[in-house]
Amino acid sequence: MKMTSRKLAINEDFPVDVCELLLPPSSPSGGSGKLIRFPDDSTLPIPDLFAMNSSKVAFIGDTGCRGRSDGDDDQDCDDSAEWPFEKIVDKVVNLPDIDKFPLDIVVHMGDYRYGGTQGYKGGVDSWEKWENEFFSPARPLLTAAPWIFVRGNHEICFSHGGPGWFRFFDYEGPHQTRRCHFPNYQESLTPPYALDIATGLRLIVLDTATAHKTVKPKVEVKAQYETFLNGDLINLAEDKESWVLSHVPFLAVEEDIKSPVGGEYFIPDSTDYLRKFNFDFSRAPTIKAVLAADRHGFQWTHDALSKNKDYPVHLAIGHSGVKLDHYPNAPNPLEVEGLKWDWRNVDKFGFVVATRMKDAQSWNFNVWLASDNDNSDFTPEYDFKLDNEEIKKALPIEEDN
């Protein structure tokens, strides 16, 4: 099937054309043996959009490399032990049972690249930076299965990663009315959308990339979030079990690195920003999970004071490449600002695979983690279903080594 150009300007920063194939939802597209052929002659079957029979989904997040030019955040992007994204890609492509049970979908939870974004080396977005930090190391996985792309805070206009996001991943198409407007950094947000990937399961994709106090969202952006959270999200989830995909977690914990005494933990400003919209999950009981990233590790967080027994599972999957955060001996549960949160943080590189069980309804989550000191191999270390009590028992409390 023929792909068409998105008709975006080719310039010295982005000397590449971007092509796409739009598959209309009004007619079945898969099951016909048709293939998408890539320039290197590799192929990918066009997925059957109507079968809704996905049974294996891989989640990765925060895959970029810091490469900051000063401070304590240095990460050697040429050393796979420090930046193992390429190793993670190789493992996901070659999962043990991949021939018998192929990968159906890859979900990237955001933050594809850091070079050239605010505070990191270089301040202009470009194809070279996207190629080095994402497209080149991710290539084997990009051609292994269809992807869902979630926008991270390093893909916003303010941090200079926005042009690449709208060029490559925003779903609007060739007209591109959503884009970055420099020099005033006016943000465009991608409206929420939903994908039914299996019988009885819907994924709802949210653009929460600008939910950050440091971004200082303008009034119109705040109004959009109000509509997204208390309008679109509820409507999209009203009739089917749903998992929300959002780069910024609705629940999360972070260490206050500026604390003079150390060991103090708080709610990250991004999560705090979303929390102040007062989204009530009891209004959307079909939402069973909120899957996010932004925390540089694998994190589970739960509102311990919630009286809602079906309160969604909140997972942050941000341990797939960027330098990890370590939270040893953190208070657990954490009580802050009148809240009480149970939480776990795993500070190893890795990824997550969700597999649909034989009952065709429930899903099992496997957390794959680095099994050696040089981060060259990964094994499934924890597994659980989407149940907060089961996860609480499965994951260890991080301790100082």
Side-chain angles (χ1 to χ4, degrees):
M1 300 182 72
K2 186 177 180 180
M3 303 183 77
T4 59
S5 170
R6 298 194 83 178
K7 300 179 181 178
L8 302 171
I10 298 176
N11 53 47
E12 60 180 11
D13 294 324
F14 287 95
V16 292
D17 198 3
V18 180
C19 297
E20 65 184 357
L21 175 65
L22 301 179
L23 300 174
S26 58
S27 59
S29 57
S32 61
K34 294 181 178 179
L35 302 173
I36 298 174
R37 186 173 299 279
F38 296 92
D40 62 358
D41 286 333
S42 62
T43 60
L44 181 66
I46 296 176
D48 189 342
L49 303 182
F50 290 81
M52 293 189 295
N53 60 356
S54 299
S55 59
K56 181 180 289 186
V57 182
F59 295 89
I60 56 177
D62 288 271
T63 60
C65 182
R66 283 186 185 274
R68 190 187 285 261
S69 58
D70 58 358
D72 297 328
D73 286 340
D74 287 341
Q75 184 176 12
D76 187 347
C77 302
D78 295 320
D79 184 351
S80 62
E82 289 197 28
W83 183 47
F85 178 41
E86 194 167 2
K87 297 290 185 181
I88 289 172
V89 165
D90 181 69
K91 190 65 179 184
V92 177
V93 170
N94 295 289
L95 289 171
D97 56 355
I98 201 71
D99 292 333
K100 186 177 181 181
F101 301 105
L103 194 62
D104 294 299
I105 298 173
V106 176
V107 179
H108 195 300
M109 302 304 305
D111 281 4
Y112 305 78
R113 47 172 294 278
Y114 290 78
T117 62
Q118 188 185 35
Y120 296 83
K121 293 178 180 178
V124 178
D125 202 13
S126 69
W127 162 247
E128 181 182 10
K129 296 182 177 72
W130 279 92
E131 168 73 357
N132 290 341
E133 266 187 83
F134 178 69
F135 283 103
S136 180
R139 195 174 308 280
L141 192 52
L142 284 167
T143 58
W147 282 53
I148 296 173
F149 300 97
V150 180
R151 188 184 185 191
N153 60 291
H154 283 272
E155 287 79 61
I156 66 174
C157 301
F158 180 77
S159 67
H160 302 297
W165 166 262
F166 288 112
R167 179 175 291 268
F168 300 123
F169 299 143
D170 183 73
Y171 69 82
E172 186 179 32
H175 300 294
Q176 286 290 295
T177 58
R178 292 193 294 270
R179 62 182 65 199
C180 292
H181 301 278
F182 297 115
N184 62 352
Y185 303 111
Q186 179 182 342
E187 292 290 347
S188 292
L189 298 181
T190 300
Y193 63 95
L195 297 166
D196 293 341
I197 67 165
T199 302
L201 179 62
R202 175 171 294 163
L203 301 183
I204 301 174
V205 184
L206 289 182
D207 179 353
T208 56
T210 60
H212 223 282
K213 289 179 181 177
T214 56
V215 178
K216 299 178 181 179
K218 296 183 177 180
V219 173
E220 59 269 22
V221 175
K222 293 181 180 180
Q224 284 183 279
Y225 275 124
E226 181 69 38
T227 300
F228 287 0
L229 298 176
N230 292 305
D232 297 336
L233 179 54
I234 292 173
N235 293 334
L236 290 170
E238 67 177 354
D239 62 349
K240 184 173 289 189
E241 178 176 332
S242 301
W243 301 350
V244 175
L245 307 180
S246 164
H247 178 73
V248 171
F250 282 63
L251 296 179
V253 176
E254 184 177 0
E255 184 179 15
D256 186 358
I257 59 174
K258 296 181 180 179
S259 169
V261 297
E264 294 187 7
Y265 292 79
F266 70 111
I267 301 168
D269 56 10
S270 51
T271 291
D272 188 53
Y273 182 86
L274 286 183
R275 190 170 60 90
K276 288 180 177 177
F277 284 100
N278 296 315
F279 182 77
D280 183 358
F281 282 99
S282 66
R283 297 175 60 198
T286 58
I287 295 177
K288 302 302 180 183
V290 178
L291 308 178
D294 200 41
R295 303 298 88 223
H296 297 162
F298 176 79
Q299 190 175 117
W300 164 79
T301 314
H302 177 60
D303 184 353
L305 299 179
S306 173
K307 296 180 180 179
N308 180 5
K309 294 182 179 180
D310 295 323
Y311 197 85
V313 168
H314 286 70
L315 301 177
I317 305 167
H319 60 312
S320 304
V322 73
K323 186 176 181 180
L324 299 173
D325 296 327
H326 304 283
Y327 302 149
N329 300 325
N332 216 312
L334 175 70
E335 297 189 40
V336 58
E337 300 181 18
L339 304 173
K340 184 178 180 181
W341 290 358
D342 286 321
W343 67 296
R344 300 287 188 271
N345 189 81
V346 180
D347 60 344
K348 290 183 178 182
F349 288 112
F351 57 95
V352 172
V353 176
T355 305
R356 188 166 53 156
M357 307 304 289
K358 291 182 179 180
D359 62 11
Q361 298 297 322
S362 59
W363 290 73
N364 191 69
F365 280 64
N366 278 283
V367 182
W368 289 69
L369 299 172
S371 57
D372 50 19
N373 292 331
D374 62 358
N375 300 312
S376 62
D377 195 21
F378 302 84
T379 56
E381 195 158 331
Y382 305 111
D383 69 276
F384 48 78
K385 295 181 176 62
L386 286 176
D387 177 84
N388 283 304
E389 286 302 315
E390 183 174 333
I391 297 172
K392 183 177 180 179
K393 295 176 181 177
L395 298 178
I397 294 177
E398 189 173 349
E399 298 178 354
D400 204 355
N401 295 323

